[in-house]
PDB file of all heavy atoms in Angstrom:
ATOM      1  N   ALA A   1     -75.076  -8.298 -19.828  1.00 97.00           N
ATOM      2  CA  ALA A   1     -76.411  -7.853 -20.240  1.00 97.00           C
ATOM      3  C   ALA A   1     -77.196  -9.014 -20.833  1.00 97.00           C
ATOM      4  O   ALA A   1     -78.369  -9.218 -20.497  1.00 97.00           O
ATOM      5  CB  ALA A   1     -76.305  -6.703 -21.248  1.00 97.00           C
ATOM      6  N   PHE A   2     -76.565  -9.806 -21.681  1.00 97.00           N
ATOM      7  CA  PHE A   2     -77.265 -10.938 -22.293  1.00 97.00           C
ATOM      8  C   PHE A   2     -77.563 -12.034 -21.277  1.00 97.00           C
ATOM      9  O   PHE A   2     -78.612 -12.685 -21.355  1.00 97.00           O
ATOM     10  CB  PHE A   2     -76.496 -11.486 -23.493  1.00 97.00           C
ATOM     11  CG  PHE A   2     -76.708 -10.673 -24.735  1.00 97.00           C
ATOM     12  CD1 PHE A   2     -75.699  -9.884 -25.234  1.00 97.00           C
ATOM     13  CD2 PHE A   2     -77.928 -10.678 -25.386  1.00 97.00           C
ATOM     14  CE1 PHE A   2     -75.891  -9.114 -26.373  1.00 97.00           C
ATOM     15  CE2 PHE A   2     -78.143  -9.912 -26.517  1.00 97.00           C
ATOM     16  CZ  PHE A   2     -77.121  -9.128 -27.015  1.00 97.00           C
ATOM     17  N   THR A   3     -76.686 -12.235 -20.328  1.00 97.00           N
ATOM     18  CA  THR A   3     -76.956 -13.215 -19.276  1.00 97.00           C
ATOM     19  C   THR A   3     -78.235 -12.841 -18.535  1.00 97.00           C
ATOM     20  O   THR A   3     -79.109 -13.676 -18.302  1.00 97.00           O
ATOM     21  CB  THR A   3     -75.767 -13.293 -18.293  1.00 97.00           C
ATOM     22  OG1 THR A   3     -74.627 -13.783 -18.989  1.00 97.00           O
ATOM     23  CG2 THR A   3     -76.085 -14.189 -17.102  1.00 97.00           C
ATOM     24  N   TRP A   4     -78.359 -11.560 -18.205  1.00 96.00           N
ATOM     25  CA  TRP A   4     -79.538 -11.108 -17.473  1.00 96.00           C
ATOM     26  C   TRP A   4     -80.767 -11.017 -18.363  1.00 96.00           C
ATOM     27  O   TRP A   4     -81.889 -11.244 -17.900  1.00 96.00           O
ATOM     28  CB  TRP A   4     -79.252  -9.793 -16.754  1.00 96.00           C
ATOM     29  CG  TRP A   4     -78.445 -10.059 -15.518  1.00 96.00           C
ATOM     30  CD1 TRP A   4     -77.083 -10.011 -15.377  1.00 96.00           C
ATOM     31  CD2 TRP A   4     -78.948 -10.485 -14.251  1.00 96.00           C
ATOM     32  NE1 TRP A   4     -76.716 -10.371 -14.103  1.00 96.00           N
ATOM     33  CE2 TRP A   4     -77.842 -10.662 -13.393  1.00 96.00           C
ATOM     34  CE3 TRP A   4     -80.222 -10.722 -13.751  1.00 96.00           C
ATOM     35  CZ2 TRP A   4     -77.982 -11.076 -12.068  1.00 96.00           C
ATOM     36  CZ3 TRP A   4     -80.366 -11.125 -12.433  1.00 96.00           C
ATOM     37  CH2 TRP A   4     -79.253 -11.298 -11.616  1.00 96.00           C
ATOM     38  N   LEU A   5     -80.605 -10.726 -19.648  1.00 96.00           N
ATOM     39  CA  LEU A   5     -81.756 -10.753 -20.551  1.00 96.00           C
ATOM     40  C   LEU A   5     -82.289 -12.176 -20.697  1.00 96.00           C
ATOM     41  O   LEU A   5     -83.501 -12.387 -20.737  1.00 96.00           O
ATOM     42  CB  LEU A   5     -81.382 -10.182 -21.929  1.00 96.00           C
ATOM     43  CG  LEU A   5     -81.445  -8.681 -22.066  1.00 96.00           C
ATOM     44  CD1 LEU A   5     -80.917  -8.245 -23.425  1.00 96.00           C
ATOM     45  CD2 LEU A   5     -82.871  -8.181 -21.868  1.00 96.00           C
ATOM     46  N   ASP A   6     -81.390 -13.137 -20.780  1.00 95.00           N
ATOM     47  CA  ASP A   6     -81.824 -14.533 -20.832  1.00 95.00           C
ATOM     48  C   ASP A   6     -82.594 -14.905 -19.566  1.00 95.00           C
ATOM     49  O   ASP A   6     -83.621 -15.582 -19.623  1.00 95.00           O
ATOM     50  CB  ASP A   6     -80.625 -15.473 -21.005  1.00 95.00           C
ATOM     51  CG  ASP A   6     -80.086 -15.488 -22.425  1.00 95.00           C
ATOM     52  OD1 ASP A   6     -80.856 -15.217 -23.364  1.00 95.00           O
ATOM     53  OD2 ASP A   6     -78.879 -15.777 -22.586  1.00 95.00           O
ATOM     54  N   ARG A   7     -82.106 -14.444 -18.431  1.00 94.00           N
ATOM     55  CA  ARG A   7     -82.796 -14.709 -17.177  1.00 94.00           C
ATOM     56  C   ARG A   7     -84.172 -14.052 -17.178  1.00 94.00           C
ATOM     57  O   ARG A   7     -85.152 -14.636 -16.715  1.00 94.00           O
ATOM     58  CB  ARG A   7     -81.974 -14.221 -15.991  1.00 94.00           C
ATOM     59  CG  ARG A   7     -82.618 -14.597 -14.662  1.00 94.00           C
ATOM     60  CD  ARG A   7     -81.793 -14.185 -13.493  1.00 94.00           C
ATOM     61  NE  ARG A   7     -80.569 -14.977 -13.443  1.00 94.00           N
ATOM     62  CZ  ARG A   7     -79.678 -14.892 -12.466  1.00 94.00           C
ATOM     63  NH1 ARG A   7     -79.868 -14.045 -11.474  1.00 94.00           N
ATOM     64  NH2 ARG A   7     -78.598 -15.636 -12.472  1.00 94.00           N
ATOM     65  N   ALA A   8     -84.254 -12.825 -17.697  1.00 95.00           N
ATOM     66  CA  ALA A   8     -85.544 -12.125 -17.778  1.00 95.00           C
ATOM     67  C   ALA A   8     -86.518 -12.928 -18.630  1.00 95.00           C
ATOM     68  O   ALA A   8     -87.698 -13.077 -18.276  1.00 95.00           O
ATOM     69  CB  ALA A   8     -85.348 -10.724 -18.365  1.00 95.00           C
ATOM     70  N   PHE A   9     -86.033 -13.459 -19.740  1.00 93.00           N
ATOM     71  CA  PHE A   9     -86.879 -14.280 -20.597  1.00 93.00           C
ATOM     72  C   PHE A   9     -87.356 -15.526 -19.835  1.00 93.00           C
ATOM     73  O   PHE A   9     -88.532 -15.862 -19.836  1.00 93.00           O
ATOM     74  CB  PHE A   9     -86.128 -14.686 -21.865  1.00 93.00           C
ATOM     75  CG  PHE A   9     -86.951 -15.539 -22.776  1.00 93.00           C
ATOM     76  CD1 PHE A   9     -87.854 -14.974 -23.646  1.00 93.00           C
ATOM     77  CD2 PHE A   9     -86.836 -16.920 -22.726  1.00 93.00           C
ATOM     78  CE1 PHE A   9     -88.639 -15.776 -24.473  1.00 93.00           C
ATOM     79  CE2 PHE A   9     -87.604 -17.726 -23.544  1.00 93.00           C
ATOM     80  CZ  PHE A   9     -88.511 -17.146 -24.416  1.00 93.00           C
ATOM     81  N   ASP A  10     -86.427 -16.197 -19.162  1.00 92.00           N
ATOM     82  CA  ASP A  10     -86.771 -17.406 -18.408  1.00 92.00           C
ATOM     83  C   ASP A  10     -87.744 -17.120 -17.270  1.00 92.00           C
ATOM     84  O   ASP A  10     -88.584 -17.960 -16.939  1.00 92.00           O
ATOM     85  CB  ASP A  10     -85.508 -18.075 -17.855  1.00 92.00           C
ATOM     86  CG  ASP A  10     -84.615 -18.642 -18.950  1.00 92.00           C
ATOM     87  OD1 ASP A  10     -85.101 -18.849 -20.087  1.00 92.00           O
ATOM     88  OD2 ASP A  10     -83.425 -18.881 -18.666  1.00 92.00           O
ATOM     89  N   ASP A  11     -87.634 -15.922 -16.663  1.00 91.00           N
ATOM     90  CA  ASP A  11     -88.523 -15.525 -15.571  1.00 91.00           C
ATOM     91  C   ASP A  11     -89.892 -15.053 -16.063  1.00 91.00           C
ATOM     92  O   ASP A  11     -90.791 -14.835 -15.267  1.00 91.00           O
ATOM     93  CB  ASP A  11     -87.912 -14.374 -14.754  1.00 91.00           C
ATOM     94  CG  ASP A  11     -86.729 -14.794 -13.915  1.00 91.00           C
ATOM     95  OD1 ASP A  11     -86.482 -16.006 -13.778  1.00 91.00           O
ATOM     96  OD2 ASP A  11     -86.044 -13.889 -13.385  1.00 91.00           O
ATOM     97  N   GLY A  12     -90.018 -14.861 -17.374  1.00 89.00           N
ATOM     98  CA  GLY A  12     -91.274 -14.354 -17.919  1.00 89.00           C
ATOM     99  C   GLY A  12     -91.463 -12.866 -17.644  1.00 89.00           C
ATOM    100  O   GLY A  12     -92.597 -12.378 -17.581  1.00 89.00           O
ATOM    101  N   ALA A  13     -90.365 -12.142 -17.511  1.00 89.00           N
ATOM    102  CA  ALA A  13     -90.441 -10.701 -17.237  1.00 89.00           C
ATOM    103  C   ALA A  13     -91.129  -9.972 -18.388  1.00 89.00           C
ATOM    104  O   ALA A  13     -90.841 -10.221 -19.561  1.00 89.00           O
ATOM    105  CB  ALA A  13     -89.046 -10.131 -17.016  1.00 89.00           C
ATOM    106  N   SER A  14     -92.033  -9.094 -18.053  1.00 88.00           N
ATOM    107  CA  SER A  14     -92.786  -8.371 -19.079  1.00 88.00           C
ATOM    108  C   SER A  14     -91.893  -7.471 -19.923  1.00 88.00           C
ATOM    109  O   SER A  14     -92.230  -7.171 -21.073  1.00 88.00           O
ATOM    110  CB  SER A  14     -93.899  -7.551 -18.445  1.00 88.00           C
ATOM    111  OG  SER A  14     -93.367  -6.585 -17.564  1.00 88.00           O
ATOM    112  N   GLY A  15     -90.749  -7.059 -19.395  1.00 87.00           N
ATOM    113  CA  GLY A  15     -89.838  -6.198 -20.152  1.00 87.00           C
ATOM    114  C   GLY A  15     -89.336  -6.822 -21.428  1.00 87.00           C
ATOM    115  O   GLY A  15     -88.971  -6.125 -22.379  1.00 87.00           O
ATOM    116  N   VAL A  16     -89.353  -8.144 -21.502  1.00 88.00           N
ATOM    117  CA  VAL A  16     -88.902  -8.847 -22.710  1.00 88.00           C
ATOM    118  C   VAL A  16     -89.809  -8.508 -23.902  1.00 88.00           C
ATOM    119  O   VAL A  16     -89.364  -8.489 -25.043  1.00 88.00           O
ATOM    120  CB  VAL A  16     -88.853 -10.369 -22.453  1.00 88.00           C
ATOM    121  CG1 VAL A  16     -88.568 -11.147 -23.714  1.00 88.00           C
ATOM    122  CG2 VAL A  16     -87.826 -10.695 -21.389  1.00 88.00           C
ATOM    123  N   LEU A  17     -91.054  -8.182 -23.622  1.00 89.00           N
ATOM    124  CA  LEU A  17     -91.986  -7.833 -24.692  1.00 89.00           C
ATOM    125  C   LEU A  17     -91.597  -6.553 -25.423  1.00 89.00           C
ATOM    126  O   LEU A  17     -92.046  -6.301 -26.536  1.00 89.00           O
ATOM    127  CB  LEU A  17     -93.407  -7.679 -24.140  1.00 89.00           C
ATOM    128  CG  LEU A  17     -94.009  -8.923 -23.503  1.00 89.00           C
ATOM    129  CD1 LEU A  17     -95.345  -8.585 -22.853  1.00 89.00           C
ATOM    130  CD2 LEU A  17     -94.165 -10.025 -24.529  1.00 89.00           C
ATOM    131  N   TYR A  18     -90.735  -5.757 -24.805  1.00 92.00           N
ATOM    132  CA  TYR A  18     -90.368  -4.459 -25.352  1.00 92.00           C
ATOM    133  C   TYR A  18     -88.941  -4.425 -25.912  1.00 92.00           C
ATOM    134  O   TYR A  18     -88.385  -3.353 -26.128  1.00 92.00           O
ATOM    135  CB  TYR A  18     -90.542  -3.373 -24.280  1.00 92.00           C
ATOM    136  CG  TYR A  18     -91.954  -3.350 -23.758  1.00 92.00           C
ATOM    137  CD1 TYR A  18     -92.284  -3.982 -22.559  1.00 92.00           C
ATOM    138  CD2 TYR A  18     -92.971  -2.743 -24.487  1.00 92.00           C
ATOM    139  CE1 TYR A  18     -93.584  -3.991 -22.094  1.00 92.00           C
ATOM    140  CE2 TYR A  18     -94.276  -2.749 -24.024  1.00 92.00           C
ATOM    141  CZ  TYR A  18     -94.576  -3.384 -22.836  1.00 92.00           C
ATOM    142  OH  TYR A  18     -95.871  -3.390 -22.380  1.00 92.00           O
ATOM    143  N   LEU A  19     -88.376  -5.596 -26.167  1.00 93.00           N
ATOM    144  CA  LEU A  19     -87.007  -5.654 -26.684  1.00 93.00           C
ATOM    145  C   LEU A  19     -86.841  -4.841 -27.966  1.00 93.00           C
ATOM    146  O   LEU A  19     -85.823  -4.196 -28.161  1.00 93.00           O
ATOM    147  CB  LEU A  19     -86.596  -7.106 -26.946  1.00 93.00           C
ATOM    148  CG  LEU A  19     -86.292  -7.953 -25.727  1.00 93.00           C
ATOM    149  CD1 LEU A  19     -86.066  -9.403 -26.148  1.00 93.00           C
ATOM    150  CD2 LEU A  19     -85.083  -7.432 -24.992  1.00 93.00           C
ATOM    151  N   ARG A  20     -87.815  -4.896 -28.827  1.00 92.00           N
ATOM    152  CA  ARG A  20     -87.700  -4.201 -30.119  1.00 92.00           C
ATOM    153  C   ARG A  20     -87.780  -2.689 -30.002  1.00 92.00           C
ATOM    154  O   ARG A  20     -87.287  -1.988 -30.864  1.00 92.00           O
ATOM    155  CB  ARG A  20     -88.789  -4.684 -31.065  1.00 92.00           C
ATOM    156  CG  ARG A  20     -88.535  -6.036 -31.633  1.00 92.00           C
ATOM    157  CD  ARG A  20     -89.288  -6.149 -32.950  1.00 92.00           C
ATOM    158  NE  ARG A  20     -88.940  -7.316 -33.687  1.00 92.00           N
ATOM    159  CZ  ARG A  20     -87.898  -7.417 -34.515  1.00 92.00           C
ATOM    160  NH1 ARG A  20     -87.081  -6.418 -34.661  1.00 92.00           N
ATOM    161  NH2 ARG A  20     -87.673  -8.522 -35.181  1.00 92.00           N
ATOM    162  N   VAL A  21     -88.404  -2.177 -28.960  1.00 94.00           N
ATOM    163  CA  VAL A  21     -88.673  -0.734 -28.921  1.00 94.00           C
ATOM    164  C   VAL A  21     -87.931   0.044 -27.835  1.00 94.00           C
ATOM    165  O   VAL A  21     -87.776   1.262 -27.963  1.00 94.00           O
ATOM    166  CB  VAL A  21     -90.188  -0.456 -28.794  1.00 94.00           C
ATOM    167  CG1 VAL A  21     -90.925  -0.956 -30.028  1.00 94.00           C
ATOM    168  CG2 VAL A  21     -90.773  -1.084 -27.545  1.00 94.00           C
ATOM    169  N   ARG A  22     -87.499  -0.631 -26.782  1.00 92.00           N
ATOM    170  CA  ARG A  22     -86.808   0.104 -25.716  1.00 92.00           C
ATOM    171  C   ARG A  22     -85.411   0.521 -26.156  1.00 92.00           C
ATOM    172  O   ARG A  22     -84.651  -0.278 -26.668  1.00 92.00           O
ATOM    173  CB  ARG A  22     -86.707  -0.749 -24.451  1.00 92.00           C
ATOM    174  CG  ARG A  22     -87.960  -0.725 -23.628  1.00 92.00           C
ATOM    175  CD  ARG A  22     -87.880  -1.490 -22.349  1.00 92.00           C
ATOM    176  NE  ARG A  22     -86.745  -1.153 -21.519  1.00 92.00           N
ATOM    177  CZ  ARG A  22     -86.389  -1.861 -20.463  1.00 92.00           C
ATOM    178  NH1 ARG A  22     -87.063  -2.934 -20.119  1.00 92.00           N
ATOM    179  NH2 ARG A  22     -85.345  -1.516 -19.737  1.00 92.00           N
ATOM    180  N   ARG A  23     -85.100   1.773 -25.924  1.00 93.00           N
ATOM    181  CA  ARG A  23     -83.793   2.310 -26.319  1.00 93.00           C
ATOM    182  C   ARG A  23     -82.663   1.733 -25.479  1.00 93.00           C
ATOM    183  O   ARG A  23     -81.507   1.798 -25.870  1.00 93.00           O
ATOM    184  CB  ARG A  23     -83.815   3.832 -26.221  1.00 93.00           C
ATOM    185  CG  ARG A  23     -84.803   4.424 -27.237  1.00 93.00           C
ATOM    186  CD  ARG A  23     -84.652   5.864 -27.355  1.00 93.00           C
ATOM    187  NE  ARG A  23     -83.284   6.128 -27.792  1.00 93.00           N
ATOM    188  CZ  ARG A  23     -82.790   7.317 -27.998  1.00 93.00           C
ATOM    189  NH1 ARG A  23     -83.540   8.366 -27.814  1.00 93.00           N
ATOM    190  NH2 ARG A  23     -81.552   7.495 -28.371  1.00 93.00           N
ATOM    191  N   ASP A  24     -82.992   1.145 -24.343  1.00 91.00           N
ATOM    192  CA  ASP A  24     -81.981   0.537 -23.478  1.00 91.00           C
ATOM    193  C   ASP A  24     -81.137  -0.487 -24.236  1.00 91.00           C
ATOM    194  O   ASP A  24     -79.991  -0.740 -23.880  1.00 91.00           O
ATOM    195  CB  ASP A  24     -82.639  -0.228 -22.315  1.00 91.00           C
ATOM    196  CG  ASP A  24     -83.518   0.625 -21.446  1.00 91.00           C
ATOM    197  OD1 ASP A  24     -84.216   1.496 -21.972  1.00 91.00           O
ATOM    198  OD2 ASP A  24     -83.511   0.406 -20.233  1.00 91.00           O
ATOM    199  N   TRP A  25     -81.735  -1.084 -25.235  1.00 95.00           N
ATOM    200  CA  TRP A  25     -81.082  -2.186 -25.950  1.00 95.00           C
ATOM    201  C   TRP A  25     -80.395  -1.756 -27.239  1.00 95.00           C
ATOM    202  O   TRP A  25     -79.868  -2.607 -27.961  1.00 95.00           O
ATOM    203  CB  TRP A  25     -82.097  -3.293 -26.228  1.00 95.00           C
ATOM    204  CG  TRP A  25     -82.970  -3.591 -25.051  1.00 95.00           C
ATOM    205  CD1 TRP A  25     -84.329  -3.592 -25.006  1.00 95.00           C
ATOM    206  CD2 TRP A  25     -82.545  -3.920 -23.727  1.00 95.00           C
ATOM    207  NE1 TRP A  25     -84.763  -3.892 -23.747  1.00 95.00           N
ATOM    208  CE2 TRP A  25     -83.699  -4.100 -22.942  1.00 95.00           C
ATOM    209  CE3 TRP A  25     -81.296  -4.073 -23.128  1.00 95.00           C
ATOM    210  CZ2 TRP A  25     -83.628  -4.422 -21.583  1.00 95.00           C
ATOM    211  CZ3 TRP A  25     -81.239  -4.396 -21.778  1.00 95.00           C
ATOM    212  CH2 TRP A  25     -82.392  -4.569 -21.018  1.00 95.00           C
ATOM    213  N   ASP A  26     -80.368  -0.476 -27.531  1.00 95.00           N
ATOM    214  CA  ASP A  26     -79.739  -0.004 -28.769  1.00 95.00           C
ATOM    215  C   ASP A  26     -78.297  -0.478 -28.913  1.00 95.00           C
ATOM    216  O   ASP A  26     -77.875  -0.845 -30.006  1.00 95.00           O
ATOM    217  CB  ASP A  26     -79.789   1.524 -28.864  1.00 95.00           C
ATOM    218  CG  ASP A  26     -81.173   2.055 -29.178  1.00 95.00           C
ATOM    219  OD1 ASP A  26     -82.087   1.244 -29.463  1.00 95.00           O
ATOM    220  OD2 ASP A  26     -81.352   3.286 -29.126  1.00 95.00           O
ATOM    221  N   SER A  27     -77.558  -0.521 -27.830  1.00 95.00           N
ATOM    222  CA  SER A  27     -76.147  -0.911 -27.910  1.00 95.00           C
ATOM    223  C   SER A  27     -75.978  -2.420 -28.140  1.00 95.00           C
ATOM    224  O   SER A  27     -74.875  -2.872 -28.452  1.00 95.00           O
ATOM    225  CB  SER A  27     -75.406  -0.511 -26.624  1.00 95.00           C
ATOM    226  OG  SER A  27     -75.911  -1.230 -25.513  1.00 95.00           O
ATOM    227  N   LEU A  28     -77.060  -3.172 -27.999  1.00 97.00           N
ATOM    228  CA  LEU A  28     -76.990  -4.630 -28.162  1.00 97.00           C
ATOM    229  C   LEU A  28     -77.566  -5.116 -29.492  1.00 97.00           C
ATOM    230  O   LEU A  28     -77.372  -6.269 -29.869  1.00 97.00           O
ATOM    231  CB  LEU A  28     -77.756  -5.326 -27.034  1.00 97.00           C
ATOM    232  CG  LEU A  28     -77.366  -4.987 -25.610  1.00 97.00           C
ATOM    233  CD1 LEU A  28     -78.265  -5.745 -24.632  1.00 97.00           C
ATOM    234  CD2 LEU A  28     -75.906  -5.312 -25.348  1.00 97.00           C
ATOM    235  N   ARG A  29     -78.269  -4.257 -30.201  1.00 96.00           N
ATOM    236  CA  ARG A  29     -79.002  -4.685 -31.396  1.00 96.00           C
ATOM    237  C   ARG A  29     -78.119  -5.304 -32.476  1.00 96.00           C
ATOM    238  O   ARG A  29     -78.568  -6.182 -33.211  1.00 96.00           O
ATOM    239  CB  ARG A  29     -79.787  -3.513 -31.983  1.00 96.00           C
ATOM    240  CG  ARG A  29     -80.910  -3.077 -31.074  1.00 96.00           C
ATOM    241  CD  ARG A  29     -81.792  -2.012 -31.710  1.00 96.00           C
ATOM    242  NE  ARG A  29     -82.581  -1.343 -30.703  1.00 96.00           N
ATOM    243  CZ  ARG A  29     -83.614  -1.860 -30.050  1.00 96.00           C
ATOM    244  NH1 ARG A  29     -83.987  -3.088 -30.318  1.00 96.00           N
ATOM    245  NH2 ARG A  29     -84.266  -1.175 -29.141  1.00 96.00           N
ATOM    246  N   SER A  30     -76.886  -4.877 -32.595  1.00 96.00           N
ATOM    247  CA  SER A  30     -76.009  -5.402 -33.649  1.00 96.00           C
ATOM    248  C   SER A  30     -75.432  -6.777 -33.299  1.00 96.00           C
ATOM    249  O   SER A  30     -74.866  -7.454 -34.151  1.00 96.00           O
ATOM    250  CB  SER A  30     -74.861  -4.428 -33.924  1.00 96.00           C
ATOM    251  OG  SER A  30     -74.049  -4.290 -32.764  1.00 96.00           O
ATOM    252  N   ASP A  31     -75.601  -7.202 -32.071  1.00 97.00           N
ATOM    253  CA  ASP A  31     -75.080  -8.494 -31.612  1.00 97.00           C
ATOM    254  C   ASP A  31     -76.034  -9.607 -32.057  1.00 97.00           C
ATOM    255  O   ASP A  31     -77.244  -9.492 -31.862  1.00 97.00           O
ATOM    256  CB  ASP A  31     -74.957  -8.472 -30.090  1.00 97.00           C
ATOM    257  CG  ASP A  31     -74.168  -9.634 -29.528  1.00 97.00           C
ATOM    258  OD1 ASP A  31     -74.592 -10.789 -29.747  1.00 97.00           O
ATOM    259  OD2 ASP A  31     -73.151  -9.381 -28.868  1.00 97.00           O
ATOM    260  N   PRO A  32     -75.515 -10.679 -32.654  1.00 97.00           N
ATOM    261  CA  PRO A  32     -76.383 -11.789 -33.092  1.00 97.00           C
ATOM    262  C   PRO A  32     -77.208 -12.385 -31.947  1.00 97.00           C
ATOM    263  O   PRO A  32     -78.294 -12.911 -32.185  1.00 97.00           O
ATOM    264  CB  PRO A  32     -75.407 -12.825 -33.647  1.00 97.00           C
ATOM    265  CG  PRO A  32     -74.140 -12.089 -33.914  1.00 97.00           C
ATOM    266  CD  PRO A  32     -74.114 -10.899 -33.002  1.00 97.00           C
ATOM    267  N   ARG A  33     -76.734 -12.286 -30.728  1.00 97.00           N
ATOM    268  CA  ARG A  33     -77.498 -12.803 -29.592  1.00 97.00           C
ATOM    269  C   ARG A  33     -78.801 -12.037 -29.404  1.00 97.00           C
ATOM    270  O   ARG A  33     -79.796 -12.594 -28.923  1.00 97.00           O
ATOM    271  CB  ARG A  33     -76.658 -12.745 -28.310  1.00 97.00           C
ATOM    272  CG  ARG A  33     -75.461 -13.670 -28.343  1.00 97.00           C
ATOM    273  CD  ARG A  33     -74.583 -13.500 -27.124  1.00 97.00           C
ATOM    274  NE  ARG A  33     -73.879 -12.216 -27.189  1.00 97.00           N
ATOM    275  CZ  ARG A  33     -73.002 -11.795 -26.294  1.00 97.00           C
ATOM    276  NH1 ARG A  33     -72.727 -12.544 -25.236  1.00 97.00           N
ATOM    277  NH2 ARG A  33     -72.397 -10.631 -26.434  1.00 97.00           N
ATOM    278  N   PHE A  34     -78.819 -10.761 -29.809  1.00 97.00           N
ATOM    279  CA  PHE A  34     -80.039  -9.974 -29.677  1.00 97.00           C
ATOM    280  C   PHE A  34     -81.102 -10.496 -30.634  1.00 97.00           C
ATOM    281  O   PHE A  34     -82.252 -10.697 -30.251  1.00 97.00           O
ATOM    282  CB  PHE A  34     -79.761  -8.491 -29.929  1.00 97.00           C
ATOM    283  CG  PHE A  34     -80.914  -7.606 -29.556  1.00 97.00           C
ATOM    284  CD1 PHE A  34     -81.129  -7.246 -28.241  1.00 97.00           C
ATOM    285  CD2 PHE A  34     -81.797  -7.152 -30.526  1.00 97.00           C
ATOM    286  CE1 PHE A  34     -82.203  -6.455 -27.883  1.00 97.00           C
ATOM    287  CE2 PHE A  34     -82.871  -6.352 -30.186  1.00 97.00           C
ATOM    288  CZ  PHE A  34     -83.072  -6.001 -28.859  1.00 97.00           C
ATOM    289  N   ALA A  35     -80.714 -10.754 -31.880  1.00 96.00           N
ATOM    290  CA  ALA A  35     -81.659 -11.297 -32.860  1.00 96.00           C
ATOM    291  C   ALA A  35     -82.169 -12.660 -32.398  1.00 96.00           C
ATOM    292  O   ALA A  35     -83.347 -12.976 -32.553  1.00 96.00           O
ATOM    293  CB  ALA A  35     -81.006 -11.396 -34.235  1.00 96.00           C
ATOM    294  N   ALA A  36     -81.286 -13.467 -31.815  1.00 95.00           N
ATOM    295  CA  ALA A  36     -81.689 -14.776 -31.314  1.00 95.00           C
ATOM    296  C   ALA A  36     -82.711 -14.628 -30.181  1.00 95.00           C
ATOM    297  O   ALA A  36     -83.676 -15.394 -30.099  1.00 95.00           O
ATOM    298  CB  ALA A  36     -80.462 -15.553 -30.842  1.00 95.00           C
ATOM    299  N   LEU A  37     -82.520 -13.642 -29.328  1.00 93.00           N
ATOM    300  CA  LEU A  37     -83.443 -13.421 -28.225  1.00 93.00           C
ATOM    301  C   LEU A  37     -84.808 -12.949 -28.755  1.00 93.00           C
ATOM    302  O   LEU A  37     -85.852 -13.359 -28.238  1.00 93.00           O
ATOM    303  CB  LEU A  37     -82.851 -12.395 -27.250  1.00 93.00           C
ATOM    304  CG  LEU A  37     -83.414 -12.360 -25.863  1.00 93.00           C
ATOM    305  CD1 LEU A  37     -83.248 -13.702 -25.150  1.00 93.00           C
ATOM    306  CD2 LEU A  37     -82.776 -11.276 -25.046  1.00 93.00           C
ATOM    307  N   ILE A  38     -84.788 -12.115 -29.764  1.00 93.00           N
ATOM    308  CA  ILE A  38     -86.040 -11.655 -30.393  1.00 93.00           C
ATOM    309  C   ILE A  38     -86.803 -12.872 -30.933  1.00 93.00           C
ATOM    310  O   ILE A  38     -88.021 -12.981 -30.726  1.00 93.00           O
ATOM    311  CB  ILE A  38     -85.743 -10.658 -31.545  1.00 93.00           C
ATOM    312  CG1 ILE A  38     -85.151  -9.355 -30.996  1.00 93.00           C
ATOM    313  CG2 ILE A  38     -86.994 -10.386 -32.393  1.00 93.00           C
ATOM    314  CD1 ILE A  38     -86.105  -8.479 -30.250  1.00 93.00           C
TER     315      ILE A  38
END
């Protein structure tokens, strides 16, 4: 999931703008990599 989120960020995917609010990412929020991506 983080590999593909990093790719989304690098691609400029608009979905990255919703990291804080999309429930899709609830299972990743406790991971330090999520805070780094934010």
Side-chain angles (χ1 to χ4, degrees):
F2 280 109
T3 296
W4 283 94
L5 276 174
D6 284 334
R7 185 177 292 184
F9 180 82
D10 293 341
D11 289 349
S14 61
V16 173
L17 298 173
Y18 303 99
L19 286 173
R20 284 205 170 275
V21 296
R22 278 183 52 191
R23 295 191 60 180
D24 302 38
W25 316 125
D26 286 353
S27 65
L28 305 178
R29 293 186 197 288
S30 63
D31 192 300
R33 294 175 289 182
F34 191 81
L37 199 60
I38 293 289

